[in-house]
Amino acid sequence: MTDFRKSVVYQIYPKSFRDSDGDGLGDLRGIIEKLDYIRELGVDYIWMTPFFVSPQKDNGYDVEDYYRIDPRYGTMEDFEELSREAGKRGIRLMLDMVFNHTSDRNQWFRKALEGDEKYKQFYIFRKGKAPGVPPTNWQSKFGGSAWEYVEKFDEYYLHLFDVSQPDLNWENPRVRQEIQKVVKFWMGKGVKGFRFDVINLISKSAYEDDDQGDGRRFYTDGPKIHQYLEELNAATFGTDAEIVTVGEMSSTSLENCYQYANEEGTELSMVFSFHHLKVDFMGNEKWVLVPYDFRKLKDIMFQWQTSMAEHHAWNAVFWCNHDQPRVVTRFGDEKRYWKESAKMLGTVIHCLRGTPYIYQGEELGMTNVDFRDISQFRDVESLNYYQILQDKGLTPEQAFQIIRVHSRDNGRTPMQWNDRWEAGFTDGTPWIGVNENYRYINAETEQRDENSVFFHYKKLVELRKKYDVIAYGDVQPVAKEHPQVFAYRRTWKGEELLVVNNFYGKDVVWESGLDLDGYECILENYSGCRREGGVFTLRPYESAVLYKKA
């Protein structure tokens, strides 16, 4: 049985990973082509974002059919071959399940719109407060009202995301039974991991106006969420001890996550939380340009690390995914100290308590894309907010600069395989533009260079498997108040680890005050860790991992 605490997960966004047939869209056969590359990195699981039949209004997170593979990605035979070939390499598959909502083209919703009362009850329909006035003032996470009017019924349906993504009614036991059938189907295909999209939004507490205007308090970590997860666990993945699960928790609380991912619990293996990735927001507002808050970043990460450990709950630890900008641009220096900062940021995450997730291209140090026109973007959220920001009084140029920094498309540009045509992603025209820096940031180049970002990530994966202290140790924050250094200790059964990181592009002398006698440096991003006793002289974005066994 694979221990998920010693495991590393590699996330693939299939649409942008590798196109095997030249149509400009990545596909399952493209993933098969690159399994040896993934094996070389050393990871244990591949998490793939949805490849089910979908109209692609939200890049596959609008599922039309949970049982069929979208032809643009391949066939069921392709999936079965991928599963077999990954298995031969010791890699398991983790599927992304979207159960808060479906596509409006899902047969359940189509039947609902036809007036079939059974399927109408699969969704959340409500009367308006008055003619032309939605049931509540809740806002969609993609902008605008979270309610869409259906004239035929003189009712509105709830969509917390795009208008084409109606929310499912989990209060209905038939809905929960259908969800269980879907999970069992893919378990039958040999799937050993599930990632559940915005799963903590499935229980709504009430349908009332919100004085904050967005409605989040009525649908986040709702009153029956733990009941629903326990029920799903017992009926499906909980029957197979080898299956690993992770829940994406939107605007969640620590207290709920203690329960979601408790090692003695019956809900999920681990959770994704995003509080640490809101440190360049203004309050809860994403679409602004402000510097990130380093002290806040440390405070949030250490709070989650120590509190989850105290409550015997497990984190997924990560910087990047398909919904986030590239971390080396966000918290590092993609120009002057690109390689050093990319390695440092990888070290911070991979030595923490929790299962690390690597998002495709992160192991190469891929950066945000330098798009120059809004027409180059594809993300529905970004395009919506480009207009919303202008409606609020910003100029097109001001709105565009904000989109460039925060757009999810920064994480969705094609994987950079080599320095040839379209970075080796496709023989055709890619669905979204390739980042122009592929000429020097690409897998082929980095696999030949043992000083590359790729080899640093490979070593990080190896360290987790080699040293139990990384997988199982506790976490003790160090230098919590330091304005430049991110450092922590790990301890476990006579093993000790100290992880030291300079988060800035300038030298710093850090007097740790620690007795480091007997420690050896087992990983660094510069040549030669400069320290005398407990005093470190850190270069820009320098990172060092020191180890001692009693």
Side-chain angles (χ1 to χ4, degrees), residues 166-185:
D167 278 49
L168 284 165
N169 175 22
W170 275 70
E171 290 279 340
N172 183 346
R174 285 181 170 174
V175 168
R176 305 200 299 276
Q177 289 161 11
E178 289 296 333
I179 295 303
Q180 292 166 18
K181 288 179 188 175
V182 172
V183 175
K184 288 176 183 175
F185 174 83

Side-chain angles (χ1 to χ4, degrees), residues 42-153:
V43 302
D44 306 275
Y45 292 85
I46 294 172
W47 154 31
M48 294 174 288
T49 56
F51 47 75
F52 311 112
V53 171
S54 165
Q56 296 289 318
K57 295 289 181 64
D58 187 22
N59 283 290
Y61 283 86
D62 47 328
V63 180
E64 182 175 336
D65 190 330
Y66 291 105
Y67 297 97
R68 290 171 49 228
I69 290 168
D70 197 308
R72 73 190 78 196
Y73 292 120
T75 65
M76 187 62 77
E77 289 71 27
D78 292 331
F79 175 81
E80 290 165 350
E81 181 179 345
L82 171 59
S83 182
R84 286 194 305 273
E85 291 300 318
K88 289 176 186 176
R89 293 162 175 82
I91 301 169
R92 298 180 172 197
L93 301 185
M94 175 183 283
L95 297 196
D96 205 327
M97 293 299 181
V98 189
F99 291 147
N100 176 70
H101 47 264
T102 69
S103 165
D104 58 3
R105 285 170 46 174
N106 188 289
Q107 63 170 338
W108 301 339
F109 194 70
R110 288 182 174 184
K111 289 179 179 177
L113 291 185
E114 290 168 1
D116 186 322
E117 196 57 34
K118 171 185 172 182
Y119 287 99
K120 232 186 128 191
Q121 295 299 318
F122 271 44
Y123 296 90
I124 299 165
F125 284 88
R126 292 288 185 277
K127 289 288 185 186
K129 288 186 291 186
V133 181
T136 73
N137 63 348
W138 298 3
Q139 293 294 296
S140 159
K141 289 178 180 286
F142 288 172
S145 173
W147 297 94
E148 179 70 5
Y149 183 64
V150 179
E151 186 175 4
K152 178 177 180 178
F153 306 134

